[in-house]
Amino acid sequence: MPDSIMASMGGLRSRLSVFLAAWVAVRYFYSRRAVLYVPGDDTRKLNKALSLDADCIVMDCEDGVASNRKEEARVTIRRWLDEGRTSTSTSEWSVRVNSVENALSGHMSGCQKINLIMYIESARAVLNLPHICRKIEQLSSTAPFKPAALVFGSDDLCASLGVTRSDDGTEILYARQKLVLVAKAFHLQAIDMVHINFQACASVQHSGQIVDLIPDLDGLRKQCEAGARMGYTGKQVIHPGQIPIVQQAFMPAPAIVEWAEGLIAAFQEHQKIGKNM
Amino acid sequence: MPDSIMASMGGLRSRLSVFLAAWVAVRYFYSRRAVLYVPGDDTRKLNKALSLDADCIVMDCEDGVASNRKEEARVTIRRWLDEGRTSTSTSEWSVRVNSVENALSGHMSGCQKINLIMYIESARAVLNLPHICRKIEQLSSTAPFKPAALVFGSDDLCASLGVTRSDDGTEILYARQKLVLVAKAFHLQAIDMVHINFQACASVQHSGQIVDLIPDLDGLRKQCEAGARMGYTGKQVIHPGQIPIVQQAFMPAPAIVEWAEGLIAAFQEHQKIGKNM
Amino acid sequence: MPDSIMASMGGLRSRLSVFLAAWVAVRYFYSRRAVLYVPGDDTRKLNKALSLDADCIVMDCEDGVASNRKEEARVTIRRWLDEGRTSTSTSEWSVRVNSVENALSGHMSGCQKINLIMYIESARAVLNLPHICRKIEQLSSTAPFKPAALVFGSDDLCASLGVTRSDDGTEILYARQKLVLVAKAFHLQAIDMVHINFQACASVQHSGQIVDLIPDLDGLRKQCEAGARMGYTGKQVIHPGQIPIVQQAFMPAPAIVEWAEGLIAAFQEHQKIGKNM
C-alpha cells in the first residue's frame, strides 16, 4: 500500500491516471522534509530504503527507470506492496507514475483517497499552475485522491526553459517562488528541487585507490536553507547521504521555536491588558 | 472625514465594507511616500500624529488594535473625525478597517467617492491580484470608492508563505515585483513593505542609562532605495523617526529631474529637426 | 520582402495590423541571436546594414523614427524591399511597425504567412502575456502570420513601471523571467533587452581629440550571459559593435555541445543495457 501517488502535471489537459489498484490510504498528513527517489525496478535499493530515515520514499516508475524496464518496475512495486514490505517503515511510501500522455501509466480503481503529489516540471505547467491546482481541487471532491504537495521539478524545467542554472538558482527564481506561492494559496506543501552536485572523492579500498562521487554537502546545505527561507517545506533527495542535511534544514530552528512561543505568550499577555503589540 | 479607506483584500470573494458613514472625500490625488500607522484607540498618538509630516496617516482599526479595543478605536476615530481634528493637517488621513470576514467592520453609506487603498498580504491575494484589481475597477464605477493604491503587506505575506525574510528580501522578490507590475497595469500607486528592524540604543537619562529601541535607519534607507528602484512610490512607516528617510528616498533625485527635463527638451528639439533620438 | 513583422503588444484589445502588403515569407525558422535596429528612413544606415552580420535586421518605423518621418520610413522600406535590396543578405530582414492605437500603421493584405515578433514593453502587456500569446496562437490559424518570438522591451517597460534599473537588472527580474517562461510555453523564441550603456572614448582624429561613445562591451557580455542562462535565445542590438559579443554569448559553448553529445551517447548506452541514468 503506497501512501501517495506522484504524477507530473503538464498542460491543463493532463489527466490523472495511475496504475496501482485497490489501496487504502491510512494517513493524510505527512511531514515531507526529505523525499528520496528509489528506482522501482531495483529490489536491492528498495530493500536498502527500508533502513533509511527519509520522510518520504518514492518508488519511481518514471525518470529513474529505463523505458524497457517500466513493466518490471510496475510488477516489482506491486509485489513489494502486496507483500506488506513497507509495513514496518515509518517513512511515507509513494509511487511516482509515468505521464498519461506517453501511455506508460495504468489505471487506479476501487481505492479510497490517496495523497496526490504533483510534479511541476515544464514551462507550460508553471504557466498553468493556478489552473492545475484549481482543477485538481475540484476533481478531488469526487476522485479518489487528495492533493497534498507540489514538487519543483527544476531540472526538467530548466531543460524546458533552456536555462543554464547557476549555484544560487537566480535563473529560475520566478518559477521557484511562484510555485511556493501557489502551493500555499491552495494549502499544499511545496517540495524544492534536487541538489545534483557531487564531488569526486578518493576512497582507499583494499585493491587500491578508487574515486567515488559523494554529495556536495556544503552546496546542499546552502540550497536547502535558501529553499526553506522561501517557504519550501521539504526537498527531493537522490542520495541517502543527503538525508540528514535536508531534514535538519527543514526543521524549524530552536531559536525560531522559542521566538514563536514567546510571541504567543506576549500576544496573550497584551490581549489581556488590552494593548496591541 | 478620512481621505482614504484601507482594506485587506483576500480571495476573490472578499467584499468591501467599511464602517464609517457619510464622509465626503475632497481630494483624489495624494503623494503617499511615507504611510504612518497610528493605533485608532490611542488619542495621545493620534494627537502626536497631527504634528508629524507623514504624507499619509493611517488611523488603524486592524493589526494595531487589540481585539477587545476595536469598538474603542471605532468610537475614537469617529469622534476625532466629527470634531474636525484633522482639518489643519496637510497629511492624508486614512482609516484602516478590519476584514469583512471576521465581522469586525461596519458599513459605509451615503458618502461620495473615497480613495481605496488595498492590502495584499496573503498567498491567495497575490495569486488573485489581477482579478482583484479588475473586480475593484468594475465595482468602482458604481460603488462609492476609487481604487488608489496597493500596499505590500509583507509580514503577513511571509507568515502566509512560511517565508523567513533576509535583509534584502530575495525570498519575496516574486511577490514584491508582481505587486508593482499589477499596480502599474491598473494605474494604482504601489506602497512598499514596512521596515521592521530596530537597534538597541543606550540613552542616558537623569536616572541612569536606559536602553531604547531606535529604527535601523541605514537598513531602512537601503530597503527604501531598493523599493523605489522597483517602481514603488511609497512605503509603510511604523515610527516617526522613519519618515524623513522614507520621504527622501521616494523623491526623485535632482539628477533624475534634471535628466528628465533635458530629455524632454532634446525630444522636442529632435522632433523639430525631424530626427529621432 | 521582409521576413518578419515586429509589433508591440499592449492590452488584450490590441489588434494586429501592419502596413506593408503582398509579401511572401519563404523561411520560417531563423536564429535570432543579434537583432539590430536600423531607422527605416535612413538609407545610409540601411545600406550599411547590408554588410553587417546581424542575424536579424529590423527596419524600424517605430521608436527609431521621428513622428514627422514615419511616412518617409514607410516609403523608403517599401521601395527598399520592392527593389530586392536585401536579396543578397543572409540576415533576416524585419519591419517594426507602429502600434495600431496611434493610427500610424497601415494594413497588410494578400500575403502568405509572415513571422510575427511581438514586443512586450508595458506593465499591462506583461500582465496579459499568456492571454496575448493564446489569442495570437488562435488568430494565427487563419491570419497571415506565424508567431515567432517575444521581445523583452525593457526600457519602455521600466518607464511603465517607474523602475530605475541597476546593472544586473534585479528590479525587473520578475518580468524578464516571466517572459521567457511564457515564450517557451508557447514555443516562441525569447529575445532579451537592449544593453544601452556606452562609454566615453577619446579618439584622436586629424583635427584633434574627439570624444566618441562606444558600447560598454564588458557590461554587454555580462548581460548577454545572464540572459542566455535564463533561457533567452537572442538579444536586441543598437550598435554594430555589439553584434559579435551577442552572437558569441548566444551560441552554445563547446563544452555544452560536448556534454550534450555525451549525454545522448550515455542515454543510448544505458537504454541498451536496461539501466537508467
Side-chain angles (χ1 to χ4, degrees):
Chain A
M1 179 185 74
D3 302 301
S4 302
I5 292 294
M6 300 191 143
S8 173
M9 312 306 288
L12 269 176
R13 283 178 295 278
S14 280
R15 286 164 303 140
L16 182 76
S17 175
V18 290
F19 70 95
L20 296 151
W23 292 320
V24 183
V26 287
R27 275 173 62 192
Y28 280 153
F29 181 78
Y30 290 89
S31 166
R32 293 184 187 90
R33 295 169 302 171
V35 174
L36 176 73
Y37 294 97
V38 183
D41 62 335
D42 190 332
T43 311
R44 188 182 63 79
K45 286 190 178 164
L46 286 169
N47 270 318
K48 186 174 176 195
L50 279 175
S51 66
L52 295 175
D53 191 27
D55 300 273
C56 174
I57 293 166
V58 182
M59 294 178 283
D60 198 359
C61 297
E62 210 229 22
D63 282 0
V65 175
S67 305
N68 55 1
R69 297 278 295 170
K70 299 287 187 193
E71 186 57 28
E72 175 71 19
R74 272 176 257 184
V75 171
T76 304
I77 294 171
R78 174 86 248 188
R79 192 182 60 232
W80 186 266
L81 291 164
D82 285 346
E83 292 173 357
R85 301 295 288 274
T86 63
S87 59
T88 58
S89 166
T90 57
S91 301
E92 175 186 37
W93 286 76
S94 183
V95 176
R96 183 157 75 146
V97 300
N98 291 285
S99 166
V100 195
E101 273 121 9
N102 55 22
L104 288 171
S105 65
H107 290 277
M108 182 168 67
S109 63
C111 77
Q112 295 187 20
K113 291 264 178 183
I114 195 165
N115 290 308
L116 175 63
I117 297 171
M118 293 171 271
Y119 280 79
I120 304 303
E121 51 188 7
S122 68
R124 197 104 195 168
V126 176
L127 175 63
N128 290 332
L129 192 45
H131 306 284
I132 290 171
C133 291
R134 213 167 285 129
K135 192 70 189 171
I136 287 291
E137 200 176 64
Q138 290 167 4
L139 289 174
S140 71
S141 65
T142 53
F145 57 79
K146 178 178 175 295
L150 298 180
V151 176
F152 186 41
S154 67
D155 289 285
D156 283 350
L157 179 64
C158 285
S160 166
L161 293 173
V163 158
T164 305
R165 188 150 58 80
S166 61
D167 278 350
D168 62 5
T170 304
E171 297 82 7
I172 46 172
L173 192 140
Y174 171 90
R176 196 177 179 196
Q177 293 193 359
K178 179 175 180 179
L179 189 140
V180 175
L181 191 132
V182 177
K184 301 304 169 91
F186 285 93
H187 308 293
L188 300 171
Q189 291 179 346
I191 296 169
D192 203 6
M193 56 186 174
V194 176
H195 189 258
I196 52 168
N197 292 3
F198 283 76
Q199 288 176 325
C201 165
S203 71
V204 179
Q205 302 199 342
H206 61 89
S207 59
Q209 223 185 35
I210 304 287
V211 172
D212 278 343
L213 287 177
I214 58 160
D216 163 21
L217 296 183
D218 270 353
L220 173 65
R221 184 178 290 107
K222 277 178 201 147
Q223 202 183 73
C224 283
E225 287 168 359
R229 281 200 306 271
M230 285 181 200
Y232 279 92
T233 51
K235 192 175 183 68
Q236 300 165 80
V237 162
I238 50 173
H239 188 286
Q242 295 177 319
I243 295 174
I245 303 279
V246 169
Q247 289 182 329
Q248 190 183 350
F250 288 96
M251 284 288 280
I256 296 287
V257 174
E258 195 182 327
W259 171 84
E261 289 173 350
L263 190 68
I264 292 166
F267 177 76
Q268 290 168 340
E269 180 64 23
H270 278 80
Q271 286 290 114
K272 210 181 293 171
I273 62 175
K275 182 184 156 195
N276 223 330
M277 303 179 71
Chain B
M1 179 185 73
D3 303 301
S4 303
I5 292 294
M6 299 191 144
S8 173
M9 311 306 288
L12 270 175
R13 284 177 295 277
S14 279
R15 287 165 303 141
L16 183 76
S17 175
V18 290
F19 70 95
L20 296 151
W23 292 322
V24 182
V26 287
R27 274 173 63 192
Y28 280 154
F29 180 78
Y30 290 90
S31 166
R32 293 182 187 91
R33 294 169 303 171
V35 175
L36 175 73
Y37 294 97
V38 182
D41 62 334
D42 189 330
T43 311
R44 188 183 61 81
K45 287 190 177 164
L46 286 169
N47 270 317
K48 184 173 178 197
L50 279 175
S51 66
L52 295 174
D53 190 28
D55 301 275
C56 175
I57 293 166
V58 183
M59 295 178 281
D60 198 359
C61 298
E62 210 230 22
D63 282 0
V65 174
S67 305
N68 55 1
R69 298 277 296 169
K70 299 286 187 192
E71 186 56 29
E72 174 71 20
R74 273 177 257 186
V75 170
T76 304
I77 294 171
R78 175 86 247 187
R79 192 183 60 233
W80 185 265
L81 290 163
D82 284 346
E83 292 174 357
R85 302 293 289 274
T86 64
S87 60
T88 58
S89 167
T90 58
S91 301
E92 175 186 37
W93 286 76
S94 183
V95 176
R96 183 157 76 146
V97 300
N98 291 284
S99 167
V100 194
E101 274 119 9
N102 56 19
L104 287 171
S105 66
H107 290 275
M108 182 168 69
S109 62
C111 79
Q112 294 188 20
K113 291 264 180 186
I114 194 163
N115 290 308
L116 175 65
I117 297 171
M118 295 171 271
Y119 279 79
I120 304 303
E121 51 188 8
S122 68
R124 198 105 194 165
V126 176
L127 175 63
N128 291 332
L129 191 47
H131 306 284
I132 289 170
C133 291
R134 212 167 286 129
K135 191 71 190 171
I136 288 291
E137 200 175 66
Q138 289 167 5
L139 289 174
S140 72
S141 66
T142 53
F145 58 79
K146 177 177 175 297
L150 298 181
V151 176
F152 186 41
S154 67
D155 288 285
D156 283 349
L157 179 64
C158 285
S160 165
L161 292 173
V163 158
T164 306
R165 188 150 58 79
S166 60
D167 278 351
D168 62 5
T170 304
E171 298 82 7
I172 47 172
L173 191 140
Y174 170 91
R176 196 176 177 195
Q177 292 193 359
K178 179 174 179 179
L179 189 140
V180 175
L181 192 132
V182 177
K184 300 304 169 88
F186 285 92
H187 309 292
L188 300 170
Q189 291 179 346
I191 296 168
D192 202 7
M193 55 187 176
V194 176
H195 189 258
I196 52 168
N197 292 2
F198 283 76
Q199 289 176 325
C201 166
S203 71
V204 179
Q205 302 200 341
H206 59 90
S207 59
Q209 222 184 36
I210 304 286
V211 172
D212 278 342
L213 287 177
I214 60 160
D216 162 21
L217 296 183
D218 269 352
L220 173 66
R221 184 178 290 108
K222 278 178 199 146
Q223 203 182 74
C224 284
E225 287 168 358
R229 282 199 306 270
M230 286 182 200
Y232 278 92
T233 50
K235 191 173 182 70
Q236 300 164 80
V237 162
I238 49 174
H239 188 286
Q242 295 177 318
I243 295 173
I245 304 278
V246 170
Q247 288 182 330
Q248 190 182 351
F250 289 96
M251 283 289 280
I256 295 287
V257 175
E258 195 182 327
W259 170 84
E261 289 173 349
L263 190 68
I264 292 166
F267 177 76
Q268 290 167 339
E269 180 63 22
H270 278 80
Q271 286 291 115
K272 210 181 294 173
I273 63 175
K275 182 182 157 196
N276 223 331
M277 302 180 72
Chain C
M1 179 185 71
D3 303 300
S4 303
I5 292 294
M6 300 192 143
S8 173
M9 312 306 288
L12 270 175
R13 284 178 295 276
S14 279
R15 285 165 303 140
L16 183 76
S17 176
V18 289
F19 69 94
L20 296 150
W23 292 322
V24 182
V26 287
R27 272 172 65 192
Y28 280 155
F29 181 78
Y30 290 89
S31 167
R32 294 183 186 91
R33 295 168 303 171
V35 175
L36 176 72
Y37 293 97
V38 182
D41 62 335
D42 189 330
T43 311
R44 189 183 61 80
K45 286 191 177 165
L46 286 169
N47 270 318
K48 183 171 179 199
L50 279 174
S51 66
L52 295 175
D53 190 28
D55 300 275
C56 174
I57 293 166
V58 182
M59 294 179 281
D60 198 0
C61 297
E62 210 229 23
D63 282 1
V65 174
S67 305
N68 55 2
R69 298 277 297 170
K70 300 286 186 192
E71 187 57 29
E72 175 71 19
R74 272 175 258 187
V75 170
T76 303
I77 294 171
R78 174 86 247 188
R79 192 182 61 232
W80 186 267
L81 290 164
D82 285 345
E83 293 173 357
R85 301 295 288 273
T86 64
S87 59
T88 58
S89 166
T90 57
S91 302
E92 174 186 39
W93 286 77
S94 183
V95 176
R96 183 157 76 146
V97 299
N98 291 285
S99 167
V100 194
E101 273 120 8
N102 56 20
L104 288 171
S105 66
H107 291 274
M108 181 167 68
S109 62
C111 77
Q112 295 186 20
K113 290 264 178 185
I114 194 164
N115 290 308
L116 174 65
I117 297 171
M118 294 171 271
Y119 279 79
I120 304 303
E121 51 188 6
S122 68
R124 198 103 193 167
V126 176
L127 176 63
N128 291 333
L129 191 46
H131 306 282
I132 290 171
C133 291
R134 212 167 285 129
K135 191 72 190 171
I136 287 292
E137 201 176 64
Q138 290 167 5
L139 289 174
S140 72
S141 65
T142 54
F145 57 80
K146 176 179 176 295
L150 298 180
V151 176
F152 186 42
S154 68
D155 288 287
D156 282 350
L157 179 64
C158 285
S160 165
L161 293 173
V163 158
T164 306
R165 188 150 58 80
S166 61
D167 278 350
D168 62 5
T170 304
E171 298 81 9
I172 47 171
L173 192 141
Y174 170 91
R176 197 176 177 197
Q177 293 193 358
K178 180 175 179 178
L179 189 139
V180 174
L181 192 131
V182 177
K184 301 304 169 90
F186 285 93
H187 309 293
L188 301 170
Q189 291 179 346
I191 296 168
D192 202 7
M193 55 187 176
V194 176
H195 189 258
I196 52 169
N197 293 2
F198 283 76
Q199 288 176 326
C201 166
S203 71
V204 179
Q205 301 201 341
H206 61 89
S207 59
Q209 225 185 31
I210 303 287
V211 172
D212 278 342
L213 286 178
I214 58 160
D216 163 20
L217 297 183
D218 269 352
L220 174 65
R221 184 179 291 108
K222 278 179 200 146
Q223 202 182 73
C224 283
E225 289 169 356
R229 281 199 308 270
M230 285 181 201
Y232 278 92
T233 51
K235 192 174 182 70
Q236 300 164 80
V237 162
I238 50 174
H239 188 285
Q242 295 177 317
I243 295 175
I245 304 278
V246 169
Q247 288 182 330
Q248 190 183 351
F250 289 96
M251 283 289 279
I256 296 285
V257 174
E258 195 182 328
W259 170 84
E261 289 173 350
L263 190 68
I264 292 166
F267 177 75
Q268 289 168 339
E269 180 63 23
H270 279 80
Q271 286 290 115
K272 209 180 294 171
I273 62 174
K275 184 184 156 195
N276 223 329
M277 304 181 70

